[in-house]
Amino acid sequence: MPKDINGHLVPGIVGPERRIPRSIPRPPYVGRNEPPAYTGNNTYTAEEIEKIRAAGRIAAQAVQEVGKAIVPGVTTDELDAIGHEFVITHDAYPSTLGYRGYPKSLCSSINEVICHGIPDNTVLEEGDIVNIDITAYRDGFHGDTNYTFRVGEVSSEVNLLIERTQEALMRGIKAVAPGRQVNIIGRAIESYAKRFGYGVVRDFTGHGVGAAFHTGLIIPHYDSAPLFNDVIQPGMVFTIEPMLTLGTHEWDMWADDWTVTTRDKSITAQFEHTLVVTESGTDILTLP
Ligand code: MF3
Ligand code: CO
Ligand code: CO
């Protein structure tokens, strides 16, 4: 009998909190229920952009480092340990740890998990896919990136979903230009995804990032016009992080209040970059 195309993940056991050296500055929300209100805007000076790029590079390198360890038999908590160590040894703080009560240093979202999967004792198996999402905070600024990895060999349908989700991110990035509204980004992503009949997740979005983890600026991945009409300006920094599915865009939340799955348990992939708007287009700030 062919393997069920849909996921069947169940929650594992979450391990104890990892330590952060006292010498590493914490973001302001750590130890609070929620972040202090962000009062700044979404545009940055050249000096600030280089700080976001430095944080973004650490996050991107950490994702790559975790990716090297992704093989059948590894647990997502073992992956969390690798990401955590990489970030702290580069004098940065893993932004998710203690963000609104999130307990780990990265998000590990397997198969039907759309986003915000919590690392635990779940063992990855041949044919699974897993998204690793890491945000690093250094020198007062956050950089946020994610990548979907294959565990061993995956089905051709899932392989195409991953390739096309990465292409959807690149098309969203190419749609960015000063003077356009941010809703152009989701229009580019959704029109590409619809060619293949994929679901486009609507309720989890890209966001302004930099001086805060989530600044309040929202970047939808679907065609939201005439809503989300913020005008794109040089110096603006935000993420684009499309989530595409082999089925519905509707979702369910696990009892942990974090793990978001597709409602039909269809497989879902995501890719994310943080970028800055330039006079002519964009510059990606989360390259390794
Ligand atoms: N890095 C995720 C994003 O792309 C946010 C994770 S928040 C967490 O926005 F608390 F779930 F970790
Ligand atoms: Co993000
Ligand atoms: Co992220």
Side-chain angles (χ1 to χ4, degrees):
M1 217 169 75
K3 197 183 169 196
D4 183 0
I5 179 77
N6 285 344
H8 48 261
L9 201 68
V10 293
I13 295 164
V14 179
E17 192 172 325
R18 295 186 200 286
R19 305 290 176 86
I20 304 275
R22 294 183 64 88
S23 58
I24 294 178
R26 275 84 172 136
Y29 50 77
V30 173
R32 305 183 186 213
N33 288 331
E34 55 183 69
Y38 179 67
T39 53
N41 62 23
N42 289 286
T43 60
Y44 296 87
T45 65
E47 290 77 3
E48 292 169 333
I49 288 162
E50 291 318 305
K51 291 181 179 182
I52 302 171
R53 192 192 307 275
R57 178 174 295 124
I58 293 166
Q61 290 175 339
V63 168
Q64 278 196 339
E65 210 56 33
V66 170
K68 291 179 193 165
I70 295 179
V71 290
V74 74
T75 70
T76 50
D77 193 57
E78 288 165 348
L79 300 178
D80 182 73
I82 294 168
H84 179 89
E85 289 302 319
F86 189 93
V87 171
I88 66 173
T89 56
H90 289 77
D91 294 317
Y93 183 96
S95 306
T96 57
L97 185 63
Y99 179 73
R100 296 182 184 274
Y102 189 83
K104 290 286 165 182
S105 299
L106 55 78
C107 298
S108 54
S109 300
I110 303 169
N111 296 346
E112 73 269 33
V113 178
I114 293 172
C115 60
H116 305 165
I118 300 173
D120 61 19
N121 66 348
T122 301
V123 176
L124 294 179
E125 295 173 10
E126 177 86 19
D128 285 343
I129 66 173
V130 60
N131 179 280
I132 301 297
D133 190 338
I134 298 182
T135 307
Y137 174 80
R138 196 171 73 170
D139 215 357
F141 294 89
H142 301 266
D144 183 7
T145 186
N146 76 47
Y147 192 97
T148 300
F149 294 93
R150 298 156 178 86
V151 184
E153 201 178 323
V154 305
S155 71
S156 58
E157 194 179 12
V158 168
N159 191 54
L160 281 173
L161 173 71
I162 292 175
E163 286 181 0
R164 290 163 176 168
T165 305
Q166 193 165 24
E167 172 65 16
L169 168 59
M170 296 320 294
R171 287 179 182 233
I173 292 173
K174 289 193 179 85
V176 174
R180 294 179 172 176
Q181 298 179 356
V182 300
N183 57 37
I184 195 86
I185 298 164
R187 193 171 317 141
I189 291 168
E190 184 171 37
S191 69
Y192 177 69
K194 287 293 157 193
R195 288 192 205 173
F196 313 108
Y198 292 155
V200 179
V201 173
R202 303 168 72 92
D203 295 339
F204 300 87
T205 66
H207 52 94
V209 64
F213 192 173
H214 297 98
T215 65
L217 171 67
I218 290 173
I219 310 292
H221 303 116
Y222 61 95
D223 186 359
S224 60
L227 301 179
F228 301 97
N229 58 359
D230 307 77
V231 176
I232 297 171
Q233 295 169 43
M236 264 178 119
V237 175
F238 52 80
T239 74
I240 305 179
E241 47 184 300
M243 290 143 272
L244 304 185
T245 84
L246 290 179
T248 186
H249 68 270
E250 295 194 290
W251 54 274
D252 274 328
M253 180 79 80
W254 280 4
D256 62 18
D257 264 347
W258 281 108
T259 308
V260 180
T261 74
T262 52
R263 189 161 292 173
D264 58 7
K265 312 295 180 230
S266 61
I267 305 300
T268 171
Q270 181 181 27
F271 286 85
E272 174 177 31
H273 274 307
T274 296
L275 52 95
V276 59
V277 180
T278 63
E279 298 295 335
S280 56
T282 59
D283 185 6
I284 297 173
L285 300 177
T286 40
L287 297 176

